[in-house]
Amino acid sequence: MTRLNELRDNPGANKIRMRIGRGIGSGKGKTGGRGGKGQTARSGVAINGFEGGQMPLHMRMPKRGFNAFNPKDWNEVRIDRIQAYIDSGKLDAKAVIDAEALIAARVIRRAKDGVRLIGSAGFTSKKVTFKVNYATKGALAAVEAAGGKVDVIEAKAPWKKAPRAE
């Protein structure tokens, strides 16, 4: 039976760190394993992707995809979470459930660019009307199966100007 003061790690489990720059006899003296002169011998090397005047590979590759210049930041709310808030009495099922009602019930913290209704199970309330910017097919089916209704409203586009009244 081994005692606590006799516990040892497996042989070779902990490798002792090589102390560099400690004299020529150590094998890692003088340049300290960094080779000769140049950028890599100095501290603060930023050479990743640099190809010595040649166009770097990441710049030669074609660019793919699209990044929107104005991506939307949605509040995604699951319908089972809304059901839990209805059951606890924090949300009124008879009133229209929109962004303002969700903020008042503290389901979401703030109205970002709109509310997205997601999820497909866990909704049992009858005749609940939602006013949201987007709803998944599963969420739409679950709400309509329970007898409710989802009104999908269009999100405000901040870069579009309002039509002029003439």
Side-chain angles (χ1 to χ4, degrees):
M1 185 168 125
T2 54
R3 297 194 172 118
L4 285 176
N5 64 333
E6 295 173 353
L7 288 176
R8 296 273 180 273
D9 211 339
N10 296 330
N14 288 329
K15 189 175 176 185
I16 297 171
R17 179 179 71 90
M18 176 62 137
R19 296 179 70 220
I20 63 164
R22 292 294 181 273
I24 205 164
S26 69
K28 284 279 191 279
K30 193 184 170 193
T31 52
R34 286 175 177 258
K37 297 180 234 176
Q39 186 181 15
T40 52
R42 316 282 189 255
S43 65
V45 172
I47 208 167
N48 287 350
F50 181 70
E51 295 190 26
Q54 178 171 307
M55 186 61 66
L57 181 68
H58 66 89
M59 292 177 75
R60 293 194 304 255
M61 291 290 111
K63 305 297 176 276
R64 299 234 6 189
F66 173 76
N67 293 322
F69 68 93
N70 54 350
K72 293 274 184 266
D73 190 14
W74 301 103
N75 284 311
E76 292 189 338
V77 183
R78 293 195 327 265
I79 57 173
D80 58 342
R81 189 158 172 236
I82 289 178
Q83 182 62 53
Y85 274 83
I86 290 171
D87 293 341
S88 66
K90 293 179 182 174
L91 266 175
D92 184 18
K94 292 181 178 72
V96 175
I97 297 177
D98 57 356
E100 287 76 31
L102 293 173
I103 292 168
R106 295 191 175 204
V107 178
I108 58 176
R109 189 176 292 172
R110 67 184 70 84
K112 296 176 183 173
D113 289 322
V115 177
R116 292 174 72 118
L117 204 59
I118 61 174
S120 59
F123 192 74
T124 57
S125 289
K126 304 278 187 233
K127 293 190 179 176
V128 178
T129 305
F130 289 96
K131 203 170 187 182
V132 293
N133 299 89
Y134 178 84
T136 61
K137 290 178 184 175
L140 265 170
V143 171
E144 287 169 357
K149 189 173 99 173
V150 178
D151 291 332
V152 178
I153 55 175
E154 192 174 329
K156 291 181 288 186
W159 66 91
K160 288 185 181 172
K161 292 181 180 176
R164 292 166 65 181
E166 295 181 43

Short mmCIF file of all heavy atoms in Angstrom, two decimals, residues 57-124:
data_model
loop_
_atom_site.label_atom_id
_atom_site.label_comp_id
_atom_site.label_asym_id
_atom_site.label_seq_id
_atom_site.Cartn_x
_atom_site.Cartn_y
_atom_site.Cartn_z
N LEU A 57 -0.15 34.08 -50.18
CA LEU A 57 -1.13 33.09 -50.64
C LEU A 57 -2.55 33.53 -50.33
O LEU A 57 -3.45 33.41 -51.16
CB LEU A 57 -0.84 31.74 -49.99
CG LEU A 57 -1.77 30.60 -50.39
CD1 LEU A 57 -1.54 30.25 -51.85
CD2 LEU A 57 -1.54 29.38 -49.52
N HIS A 58 -2.78 34.06 -49.13
CA HIS A 58 -4.15 34.44 -48.76
C HIS A 58 -4.66 35.60 -49.58
O HIS A 58 -5.87 35.82 -49.68
CB HIS A 58 -4.23 34.77 -47.26
CG HIS A 58 -3.46 35.98 -46.85
ND1 HIS A 58 -4.00 37.24 -46.87
CD2 HIS A 58 -2.19 36.12 -46.43
CE1 HIS A 58 -3.09 38.11 -46.46
NE2 HIS A 58 -1.98 37.45 -46.19
N MET A 59 -3.76 36.36 -50.20
CA MET A 59 -4.19 37.44 -51.09
C MET A 59 -4.34 36.97 -52.53
O MET A 59 -5.03 37.61 -53.32
CB MET A 59 -3.20 38.61 -51.03
CG MET A 59 -3.21 39.32 -49.68
SD MET A 59 -1.99 40.62 -49.57
CE MET A 59 -2.76 41.88 -50.56
N ARG A 60 -3.70 35.84 -52.88
CA ARG A 60 -3.85 35.28 -54.23
C ARG A 60 -5.12 34.48 -54.38
O ARG A 60 -5.59 34.28 -55.49
CB ARG A 60 -2.65 34.38 -54.55
CG ARG A 60 -1.34 35.12 -54.66
CD ARG A 60 -0.26 34.27 -55.29
NE ARG A 60 -0.01 33.03 -54.61
CZ ARG A 60 1.03 32.76 -53.84
NH1 ARG A 60 1.93 33.69 -53.62
NH2 ARG A 60 1.19 31.57 -53.30
N MET A 61 -5.67 33.98 -53.29
CA MET A 61 -6.88 33.16 -53.34
C MET A 61 -8.11 34.03 -53.64
O MET A 61 -8.19 35.16 -53.16
CB MET A 61 -7.11 32.45 -52.00
CG MET A 61 -6.10 31.37 -51.68
SD MET A 61 -6.29 29.95 -52.73
CE MET A 61 -4.81 30.05 -53.70
N PRO A 62 -9.07 33.50 -54.40
CA PRO A 62 -10.28 34.29 -54.67
C PRO A 62 -11.13 34.43 -53.41
O PRO A 62 -11.17 33.55 -52.57
CB PRO A 62 -11.01 33.47 -55.74
CG PRO A 62 -10.49 32.08 -55.58
CD PRO A 62 -9.09 32.20 -55.09
N LYS A 63 -11.77 35.58 -53.30
CA LYS A 63 -12.63 35.83 -52.14
C LYS A 63 -14.02 35.29 -52.44
O LYS A 63 -14.53 35.47 -53.54
CB LYS A 63 -12.70 37.33 -51.82
CG LYS A 63 -11.34 37.97 -51.62
CD LYS A 63 -10.63 37.38 -50.42
CE LYS A 63 -9.25 37.92 -50.23
NZ LYS A 63 -8.21 37.28 -51.00
N ARG A 64 -14.64 34.63 -51.45
CA ARG A 64 -15.95 34.02 -51.66
C ARG A 64 -16.91 34.50 -50.60
O ARG A 64 -16.51 34.88 -49.51
CB ARG A 64 -15.84 32.50 -51.58
CG ARG A 64 -14.93 31.92 -52.63
CD ARG A 64 -15.53 30.87 -53.45
NE ARG A 64 -16.94 30.66 -53.21
CZ ARG A 64 -17.62 29.66 -53.71
NH1 ARG A 64 -17.02 28.80 -54.46
NH2 ARG A 64 -18.88 29.52 -53.45
N GLY A 65 -18.18 34.43 -50.92
CA GLY A 65 -19.20 34.73 -49.93
C GLY A 65 -19.57 36.20 -49.91
O GLY A 65 -19.06 37.01 -50.67
N PHE A 66 -20.45 36.52 -49.00
CA PHE A 66 -20.95 37.88 -48.90
C PHE A 66 -21.18 38.21 -47.44
O PHE A 66 -21.78 37.44 -46.70
CB PHE A 66 -22.28 38.01 -49.67
CG PHE A 66 -22.94 39.34 -49.47
CD1 PHE A 66 -22.47 40.46 -50.12
CD2 PHE A 66 -24.04 39.46 -48.64
CE1 PHE A 66 -23.08 41.68 -49.94
CE2 PHE A 66 -24.65 40.68 -48.46
CZ PHE A 66 -24.17 41.80 -49.12
N ASN A 67 -20.67 39.33 -47.01
CA ASN A 67 -20.93 39.83 -45.66
C ASN A 67 -21.77 41.09 -45.79
O ASN A 67 -21.34 42.07 -46.41
CB ASN A 67 -19.62 40.15 -44.93
CG ASN A 67 -18.82 38.90 -44.65
OD1 ASN A 67 -19.39 37.86 -44.33
ND2 ASN A 67 -17.51 38.99 -44.78
N ALA A 68 -22.94 41.05 -45.21
CA ALA A 68 -23.85 42.18 -45.31
C ALA A 68 -23.24 43.40 -44.62
O ALA A 68 -22.64 43.28 -43.56
CB ALA A 68 -25.19 41.84 -44.67
N PHE A 69 -23.43 44.56 -45.21
CA PHE A 69 -22.87 45.77 -44.60
C PHE A 69 -23.76 46.25 -43.47
O PHE A 69 -23.36 47.11 -42.69
CB PHE A 69 -22.70 46.88 -45.65
CG PHE A 69 -23.99 47.43 -46.19
CD1 PHE A 69 -24.57 48.55 -45.64
CD2 PHE A 69 -24.62 46.83 -47.26
CE1 PHE A 69 -25.74 49.06 -46.12
CE2 PHE A 69 -25.80 47.32 -47.77
CZ PHE A 69 -26.38 48.45 -47.19
N ASN A 70 -24.97 45.70 -43.38
CA ASN A 70 -25.89 46.10 -42.31
C ASN A 70 -26.59 44.85 -41.77
O ASN A 70 -27.81 44.71 -41.94
CB ASN A 70 -26.91 47.11 -42.84
CG ASN A 70 -27.62 46.59 -44.06
OD1 ASN A 70 -27.24 45.57 -44.64
ND2 ASN A 70 -28.68 47.26 -44.46
N PRO A 71 -25.86 43.93 -41.15
CA PRO A 71 -26.52 42.71 -40.68
C PRO A 71 -27.53 43.00 -39.59
O PRO A 71 -27.32 43.89 -38.76
CB PRO A 71 -25.36 41.86 -40.15
CG PRO A 71 -24.32 42.85 -39.80
CD PRO A 71 -24.47 43.99 -40.75
N LYS A 72 -28.61 42.25 -39.60
CA LYS A 72 -29.65 42.43 -38.59
C LYS A 72 -29.29 41.68 -37.31
O LYS A 72 -28.73 40.60 -37.36
CB LYS A 72 -30.99 41.89 -39.12
CG LYS A 72 -31.52 42.69 -40.28
CD LYS A 72 -32.31 43.86 -39.77
CE LYS A 72 -32.96 44.63 -40.87
NZ LYS A 72 -32.21 45.74 -41.34
N ASP A 73 -29.62 42.27 -36.19
CA ASP A 73 -29.40 41.65 -34.89
C ASP A 73 -30.79 41.37 -34.32
O ASP A 73 -31.48 42.28 -33.87
CB ASP A 73 -28.61 42.59 -33.98
CG ASP A 73 -28.16 41.91 -32.72
OD1 ASP A 73 -28.23 40.66 -32.66
OD2 ASP A 73 -27.74 42.61 -31.77
N TRP A 74 -31.20 40.10 -34.37
CA TRP A 74 -32.56 39.73 -33.98
C TRP A 74 -32.61 39.24 -32.53
O TRP A 74 -31.64 38.71 -32.00
CB TRP A 74 -33.08 38.59 -34.87
CG TRP A 74 -33.10 38.91 -36.32
CD1 TRP A 74 -32.23 38.49 -37.26
CD2 TRP A 74 -34.06 39.71 -37.01
NE1 TRP A 74 -32.57 38.97 -38.49
CE2 TRP A 74 -33.70 39.73 -38.36
CE3 TRP A 74 -35.19 40.42 -36.61
CZ2 TRP A 74 -34.43 40.43 -39.32
CZ3 TRP A 74 -35.90 41.09 -37.56
CH2 TRP A 74 -35.54 41.10 -38.90
N ASN A 75 -33.78 39.39 -31.93
CA ASN A 75 -34.08 38.72 -30.67
C ASN A 75 -34.76 37.41 -31.03
O ASN A 75 -35.88 37.42 -31.52
CB ASN A 75 -35.05 39.56 -29.81
CG ASN A 75 -34.37 40.72 -29.15
OD1 ASN A 75 -33.33 40.55 -28.53
ND2 ASN A 75 -34.94 41.90 -29.28
N GLU A 76 -34.09 36.29 -30.80
CA GLU A 76 -34.68 34.99 -31.10
C GLU A 76 -35.32 34.45 -29.83
O GLU A 76 -34.65 34.29 -28.81
CB GLU A 76 -33.63 34.02 -31.64
CG GLU A 76 -33.14 34.43 -33.01
CD GLU A 76 -32.26 33.39 -33.65
OE1 GLU A 76 -31.69 32.55 -32.92
OE2 GLU A 76 -32.14 33.42 -34.89
N VAL A 77 -36.62 34.19 -29.90
CA VAL A 77 -37.37 33.74 -28.72
C VAL A 77 -38.01 32.39 -29.05
O VAL A 77 -38.69 32.26 -30.06
CB VAL A 77 -38.46 34.76 -28.34
CG1 VAL A 77 -39.17 34.34 -27.08
CG2 VAL A 77 -37.85 36.14 -28.15
N ARG A 78 -37.79 31.41 -28.18
CA ARG A 78 -38.38 30.08 -28.38
C ARG A 78 -39.82 30.09 -27.87
O ARG A 78 -40.14 30.72 -26.85
CB ARG A 78 -37.57 29.02 -27.62
CG ARG A 78 -36.20 28.81 -28.17
CD ARG A 78 -35.56 27.53 -27.66
NE ARG A 78 -35.93 27.16 -26.32
CZ ARG A 78 -35.22 27.46 -25.23
NH1 ARG A 78 -34.12 28.15 -25.35
NH2 ARG A 78 -35.63 27.09 -24.03
N ILE A 79 -40.69 29.34 -28.56
CA ILE A 79 -42.10 29.34 -28.17
C ILE A 79 -42.32 28.60 -26.86
O ILE A 79 -43.26 28.93 -26.12
CB ILE A 79 -43.01 28.78 -29.29
CG1 ILE A 79 -42.59 27.37 -29.69
CG2 ILE A 79 -43.04 29.69 -30.47
CD1 ILE A 79 -43.54 26.70 -30.65
N ASP A 80 -41.49 27.62 -26.53
CA ASP A 80 -41.65 26.95 -25.24
C ASP A 80 -41.30 27.89 -24.09
O ASP A 80 -41.88 27.80 -23.01
CB ASP A 80 -40.83 25.66 -25.17
CG ASP A 80 -39.35 25.89 -25.39
OD1 ASP A 80 -38.99 26.95 -25.93
OD2 ASP A 80 -38.55 25.00 -25.03
N ARG A 81 -40.39 28.83 -24.33
CA ARG A 81 -40.05 29.82 -23.30
C ARG A 81 -41.20 30.81 -23.11
O ARG A 81 -41.52 31.20 -21.99
CB ARG A 81 -38.79 30.56 -23.73
CG ARG A 81 -38.22 31.44 -22.66
CD ARG A 81 -36.75 31.72 -22.89
NE ARG A 81 -36.33 32.72 -21.94
CZ ARG A 81 -35.76 33.87 -22.26
NH1 ARG A 81 -35.52 34.14 -23.51
NH2 ARG A 81 -35.41 34.74 -21.35
N ILE A 82 -41.85 31.17 -24.21
CA ILE A 82 -43.02 32.05 -24.12
C ILE A 82 -44.14 31.34 -23.37
O ILE A 82 -44.84 31.93 -22.55
CB ILE A 82 -43.47 32.50 -25.53
CG1 ILE A 82 -42.44 33.49 -26.09
CG2 ILE A 82 -44.85 33.13 -25.50
CD1 ILE A 82 -42.70 33.97 -27.47
N GLN A 83 -44.31 30.03 -23.63
CA GLN A 83 -45.32 29.25 -22.93
C GLN A 83 -45.05 29.25 -21.42
O GLN A 83 -45.98 29.38 -20.61
CB GLN A 83 -45.33 27.81 -23.45
CG GLN A 83 -46.37 26.93 -22.80
CD GLN A 83 -47.78 27.42 -23.05
OE1 GLN A 83 -48.16 27.65 -24.19
NE2 GLN A 83 -48.57 27.60 -22.00
N ALA A 84 -43.79 29.15 -21.02
CA ALA A 84 -43.44 29.17 -19.59
C ALA A 84 -43.79 30.52 -18.97
O ALA A 84 -44.29 30.58 -17.83
CB ALA A 84 -41.96 28.87 -19.42
N TYR A 85 -43.58 31.61 -19.70
CA TYR A 85 -43.93 32.94 -19.19
C TYR A 85 -45.43 33.13 -19.12
O TYR A 85 -45.93 33.81 -18.23
CB TYR A 85 -43.28 34.02 -20.07
CG TYR A 85 -41.87 34.35 -19.66
CD1 TYR A 85 -40.79 33.58 -20.08
CD2 TYR A 85 -41.59 35.42 -18.82
CE1 TYR A 85 -39.50 33.86 -19.71
CE2 TYR A 85 -40.30 35.73 -18.44
CZ TYR A 85 -39.26 34.94 -18.87
OH TYR A 85 -37.98 35.23 -18.49
N ILE A 86 -46.17 32.54 -20.06
CA ILE A 86 -47.64 32.61 -20.01
C ILE A 86 -48.15 31.83 -18.80
O ILE A 86 -49.03 32.29 -18.07
CB ILE A 86 -48.26 32.09 -21.32
CG1 ILE A 86 -47.98 33.07 -22.46
CG2 ILE A 86 -49.76 31.87 -21.18
CD1 ILE A 86 -48.36 32.56 -23.84
N ASP A 87 -47.57 30.63 -18.58
CA ASP A 87 -48.00 29.80 -17.45
C ASP A 87 -47.70 30.46 -16.11
O ASP A 87 -48.46 30.31 -15.16
CB ASP A 87 -47.30 28.43 -17.50
CG ASP A 87 -47.75 27.60 -18.70
OD1 ASP A 87 -48.84 27.91 -19.26
OD2 ASP A 87 -47.03 26.66 -19.08
N SER A 88 -46.60 31.21 -16.02
CA SER A 88 -46.24 31.86 -14.76
C SER A 88 -47.01 33.17 -14.55
O SER A 88 -46.92 33.78 -13.49
CB SER A 88 -44.74 32.13 -14.70
OG SER A 88 -44.38 33.08 -15.68
N GLY A 89 -47.75 33.62 -15.57
CA GLY A 89 -48.56 34.82 -15.44
C GLY A 89 -47.82 36.11 -15.78
O GLY A 89 -48.37 37.20 -15.60
N LYS A 90 -46.61 36.02 -16.27
CA LYS A 90 -45.85 37.22 -16.61
C LYS A 90 -46.25 37.77 -17.97
O LYS A 90 -46.09 38.95 -18.25
CB LYS A 90 -44.35 36.91 -16.60
CG LYS A 90 -43.83 36.61 -15.21
CD LYS A 90 -42.36 36.28 -15.23
CE LYS A 90 -41.87 35.93 -13.83
NZ LYS A 90 -40.49 35.47 -13.83
N LEU A 91 -46.79 36.91 -18.84
CA LEU A 91 -47.29 37.33 -20.15
C LEU A 91 -48.80 37.08 -20.20
O LEU A 91 -49.28 36.05 -19.73
CB LEU A 91 -46.62 36.53 -21.26
CG LEU A 91 -45.39 37.12 -21.93
CD1 LEU A 91 -44.80 36.13 -22.91
CD2 LEU A 91 -45.70 38.41 -22.62
N ASP A 92 -49.52 38.03 -20.77
CA ASP A 92 -50.96 37.90 -20.92
C ASP A 92 -51.25 37.25 -22.27
O ASP A 92 -50.94 37.81 -23.32
CB ASP A 92 -51.62 39.28 -20.84
CG ASP A 92 -53.14 39.19 -20.88
OD1 ASP A 92 -53.67 38.09 -20.64
OD2 ASP A 92 -53.78 40.22 -21.15
N ALA A 93 -51.88 36.07 -22.25
CA ALA A 93 -52.15 35.33 -23.48
C ALA A 93 -53.27 35.98 -24.29
O ALA A 93 -53.37 35.75 -25.50
CB ALA A 93 -52.50 33.89 -23.16
N LYS A 94 -54.11 36.78 -23.65
CA LYS A 94 -55.24 37.41 -24.36
C LYS A 94 -54.78 38.62 -25.17
O LYS A 94 -55.40 38.97 -26.15
CB LYS A 94 -56.32 37.80 -23.36
CG LYS A 94 -56.99 36.59 -22.73
CD LYS A 94 -58.08 37.01 -21.77
CE LYS A 94 -58.80 35.82 -21.18
NZ LYS A 94 -58.01 35.08 -20.21
N ALA A 95 -53.70 39.26 -24.73
CA ALA A 95 -53.20 40.44 -25.43
C ALA A 95 -52.28 39.99 -26.57
O ALA A 95 -51.84 38.84 -26.63
CB ALA A 95 -52.43 41.34 -24.47
N VAL A 96 -51.99 40.93 -27.46
CA VAL A 96 -51.07 40.64 -28.56
C VAL A 96 -49.65 40.60 -28.00
O VAL A 96 -49.23 41.50 -27.27
CB VAL A 96 -51.18 41.74 -29.66
CG1 VAL A 96 -50.13 41.52 -30.74
CG2 VAL A 96 -52.57 41.74 -30.25
N ILE A 97 -48.93 39.54 -28.33
CA ILE A 97 -47.55 39.40 -27.85
C ILE A 97 -46.62 39.94 -28.92
O ILE A 97 -46.46 39.34 -29.99
CB ILE A 97 -47.23 37.93 -27.51
CG1 ILE A 97 -48.12 37.46 -26.37
CG2 ILE A 97 -45.76 37.78 -27.15
CD1 ILE A 97 -47.95 36.02 -26.00
N ASP A 98 -46.02 41.10 -28.63
CA ASP A 98 -45.06 41.72 -29.54
C ASP A 98 -43.80 42.07 -28.76
O ASP A 98 -43.63 41.64 -27.61
CB ASP A 98 -45.68 42.94 -30.22
CG ASP A 98 -46.18 43.97 -29.22
OD1 ASP A 98 -46.12 43.71 -28.01
OD2 ASP A 98 -46.62 45.05 -29.66
N ALA A 99 -42.93 42.84 -29.36
CA ALA A 99 -41.65 43.18 -28.73
C ALA A 99 -41.86 43.93 -27.42
O ALA A 99 -41.19 43.65 -26.42
CB ALA A 99 -40.79 44.00 -29.68
N GLU A 100 -42.80 44.86 -27.39
CA GLU A 100 -43.05 45.64 -26.18
C GLU A 100 -43.54 44.76 -25.04
O GLU A 100 -43.14 44.91 -23.88
CB GLU A 100 -44.06 46.77 -26.44
CG GLU A 100 -43.51 47.93 -27.25
CD GLU A 100 -43.40 47.61 -28.73
OE1 GLU A 100 -44.22 46.81 -29.25
OE2 GLU A 100 -42.48 48.15 -29.37
N ALA A 101 -44.43 43.81 -25.35
CA ALA A 101 -44.94 42.89 -24.33
C ALA A 101 -43.84 41.97 -23.81
O ALA A 101 -43.77 41.68 -22.61
CB ALA A 101 -46.09 42.06 -24.89
N LEU A 102 -42.95 41.55 -24.70
CA LEU A 102 -41.84 40.68 -24.29
C LEU A 102 -40.84 41.43 -23.42
O LEU A 102 -40.27 40.87 -22.49
CB LEU A 102 -41.14 40.11 -25.52
CG LEU A 102 -41.97 39.13 -26.37
CD1 LEU A 102 -41.23 38.77 -27.64
CD2 LEU A 102 -42.31 37.89 -25.58
N ILE A 103 -40.63 42.72 -23.70
CA ILE A 103 -39.74 43.53 -22.86
C ILE A 103 -40.36 43.74 -21.49
O ILE A 103 -39.69 43.64 -20.46
CB ILE A 103 -39.43 44.88 -23.54
CG1 ILE A 103 -38.58 44.65 -24.79
CG2 ILE A 103 -38.72 45.83 -22.60
CD1 ILE A 103 -38.45 45.85 -25.68
N ALA A 104 -41.67 44.03 -21.46
CA ALA A 104 -42.36 44.26 -20.18
C ALA A 104 -42.34 43.01 -19.31
O ALA A 104 -42.23 43.10 -18.08
CB ALA A 104 -43.80 44.70 -20.45
N ALA A 105 -42.43 41.84 -19.94
CA ALA A 105 -42.41 40.58 -19.18
C ALA A 105 -40.98 40.10 -18.90
O ALA A 105 -40.79 39.08 -18.26
CB ALA A 105 -43.16 39.50 -19.95
N ARG A 106 -39.99 40.85 -19.42
CA ARG A 106 -38.57 40.53 -19.25
C ARG A 106 -38.18 39.21 -19.92
O ARG A 106 -37.30 38.50 -19.43
CB ARG A 106 -38.16 40.53 -17.79
CG ARG A 106 -38.27 41.91 -17.18
CD ARG A 106 -37.63 41.96 -15.86
NE ARG A 106 -37.66 43.34 -15.37
CZ ARG A 106 -36.81 43.80 -14.49
NH1 ARG A 106 -35.89 43.03 -13.99
NH2 ARG A 106 -36.89 45.04 -14.09
N VAL A 107 -38.85 38.89 -21.01
CA VAL A 107 -38.44 37.75 -21.83
C VAL A 107 -37.20 38.15 -22.61
O VAL A 107 -36.25 37.38 -22.72
CB VAL A 107 -39.57 37.31 -22.79
CG1 VAL A 107 -39.12 36.15 -23.66
CG2 VAL A 107 -40.81 36.95 -22.01
N ILE A 108 -37.21 39.38 -23.14
CA ILE A 108 -36.03 39.93 -23.80
C ILE A 108 -35.66 41.23 -23.10
O ILE A 108 -36.49 41.84 -22.42
CB ILE A 108 -36.28 40.18 -25.31
CG1 ILE A 108 -37.46 41.12 -25.52
CG2 ILE A 108 -36.48 38.88 -26.04
CD1 ILE A 108 -37.71 41.48 -26.98
N ARG A 109 -34.42 41.64 -23.25
CA ARG A 109 -33.96 42.83 -22.56
C ARG A 109 -34.30 44.09 -23.33
O ARG A 109 -34.72 45.09 -22.76
CB ARG A 109 -32.45 42.75 -22.34
CG ARG A 109 -31.93 43.85 -21.43
CD ARG A 109 -30.47 43.70 -21.14
NE ARG A 109 -30.24 42.52 -20.33
CZ ARG A 109 -29.05 42.05 -20.03
NH1 ARG A 109 -27.98 42.64 -20.50
NH2 ARG A 109 -28.90 40.97 -19.29
N ARG A 110 -34.06 44.07 -24.64
CA ARG A 110 -34.34 45.25 -25.45
C ARG A 110 -34.73 44.81 -26.86
O ARG A 110 -34.33 43.74 -27.29
CB ARG A 110 -33.12 46.17 -25.52
CG ARG A 110 -31.94 45.61 -26.26
CD ARG A 110 -30.73 46.51 -26.21
NE ARG A 110 -30.14 46.58 -24.90
CZ ARG A 110 -29.25 45.70 -24.43
NH1 ARG A 110 -28.89 44.68 -25.16
NH2 ARG A 110 -28.74 45.85 -23.24
N ALA A 111 -35.49 45.65 -27.53
CA ALA A 111 -35.87 45.36 -28.91
C ALA A 111 -34.70 45.74 -29.79
O ALA A 111 -34.33 46.89 -29.88
CB ALA A 111 -37.11 46.15 -29.29
N LYS A 112 -34.11 44.76 -30.44
CA LYS A 112 -32.98 45.04 -31.32
C LYS A 112 -33.54 45.43 -32.69
O LYS A 112 -34.16 46.47 -32.81
CB LYS A 112 -32.07 43.82 -31.40
CG LYS A 112 -31.43 43.49 -30.05
CD LYS A 112 -30.62 42.22 -30.14
CE LYS A 112 -30.05 41.83 -28.80
NZ LYS A 112 -29.39 40.52 -28.84
N ASP A 113 -33.36 44.60 -33.71
CA ASP A 113 -33.92 44.90 -35.02
C ASP A 113 -35.26 44.20 -35.22
O ASP A 113 -35.86 44.33 -36.28
CB ASP A 113 -32.94 44.46 -36.12
CG ASP A 113 -31.73 45.37 -36.17
OD1 ASP A 113 -31.90 46.57 -35.97
OD2 ASP A 113 -30.62 44.87 -36.41
N GLY A 114 -35.70 43.45 -34.24
CA GLY A 114 -36.98 42.76 -34.34
C GLY A 114 -36.94 41.45 -33.59
O GLY A 114 -35.93 41.06 -33.03
N VAL A 115 -38.08 40.75 -33.60
CA VAL A 115 -38.22 39.49 -32.86
C VAL A 115 -38.42 38.36 -33.85
O VAL A 115 -39.22 38.47 -34.79
CB VAL A 115 -39.42 39.56 -31.89
CG1 VAL A 115 -39.61 38.24 -31.18
CG2 VAL A 115 -39.21 40.67 -30.88
N ARG A 116 -37.67 37.27 -33.65
CA ARG A 116 -37.83 36.05 -34.44
C ARG A 116 -38.39 34.99 -33.54
O ARG A 116 -37.85 34.73 -32.46
CB ARG A 116 -36.49 35.60 -35.01
CG ARG A 116 -35.92 36.52 -36.04
CD ARG A 116 -34.54 36.09 -36.45
NE ARG A 116 -34.62 34.89 -37.26
CZ ARG A 116 -34.20 34.81 -38.51
NH1 ARG A 116 -33.69 35.86 -39.09
NH2 ARG A 116 -34.29 33.71 -39.19
N LEU A 117 -39.46 34.34 -33.95
CA LEU A 117 -40.10 33.28 -33.20
C LEU A 117 -39.56 31.95 -33.71
O LEU A 117 -39.67 31.65 -34.90
CB LEU A 117 -41.61 33.36 -33.41
CG LEU A 117 -42.52 32.75 -32.35
CD1 LEU A 117 -42.27 33.39 -31.01
CD2 LEU A 117 -43.96 32.90 -32.75
N ILE A 118 -38.93 31.16 -32.81
CA ILE A 118 -38.32 29.90 -33.23
C ILE A 118 -38.83 28.77 -32.35
O ILE A 118 -39.47 29.00 -31.34
CB ILE A 118 -36.78 29.97 -33.18
CG1 ILE A 118 -36.29 30.24 -31.76
CG2 ILE A 118 -36.24 31.01 -34.14
CD1 ILE A 118 -34.79 30.19 -31.61
N GLY A 119 -38.55 27.55 -32.76
CA GLY A 119 -38.97 26.38 -32.00
C GLY A 119 -40.13 25.69 -32.66
O GLY A 119 -40.78 26.24 -33.56
N SER A 120 -40.42 24.46 -32.23
CA SER A 120 -41.51 23.73 -32.86
C SER A 120 -42.33 22.93 -31.85
O SER A 120 -43.32 22.32 -32.23
CB SER A 120 -40.96 22.79 -33.93
OG SER A 120 -40.06 21.88 -33.35
N ALA A 121 -41.93 22.92 -30.59
CA ALA A 121 -42.65 22.11 -29.61
C ALA A 121 -42.77 22.86 -28.30
O ALA A 121 -42.05 23.81 -28.04
CB ALA A 121 -41.91 20.79 -29.38
N GLY A 122 -43.71 22.43 -27.48
CA GLY A 122 -43.85 23.00 -26.14
C GLY A 122 -44.82 24.14 -26.05
O GLY A 122 -44.83 24.86 -25.05
N PHE A 123 -45.64 24.36 -27.09
CA PHE A 123 -46.60 25.47 -27.05
C PHE A 123 -48.01 24.90 -26.99
O PHE A 123 -48.43 24.14 -27.86
CB PHE A 123 -46.45 26.36 -28.28
CG PHE A 123 -47.18 27.66 -28.15
CD1 PHE A 123 -46.70 28.65 -27.33
CD2 PHE A 123 -48.37 27.87 -28.82
CE1 PHE A 123 -47.38 29.85 -27.19
CE2 PHE A 123 -49.06 29.06 -28.70
CZ PHE A 123 -48.55 30.05 -27.87
N THR A 124 -48.78 25.26 -25.94
CA THR A 124 -50.12 24.69 -25.75
C THR A 124 -51.19 25.75 -25.57
O THR A 124 -52.37 25.41 -25.52
CB THR A 124 -50.12 23.76 -24.53
OG1 THR A 124 -49.68 24.50 -23.38
CG2 THR A 124 -49.22 22.56 -24.74
#
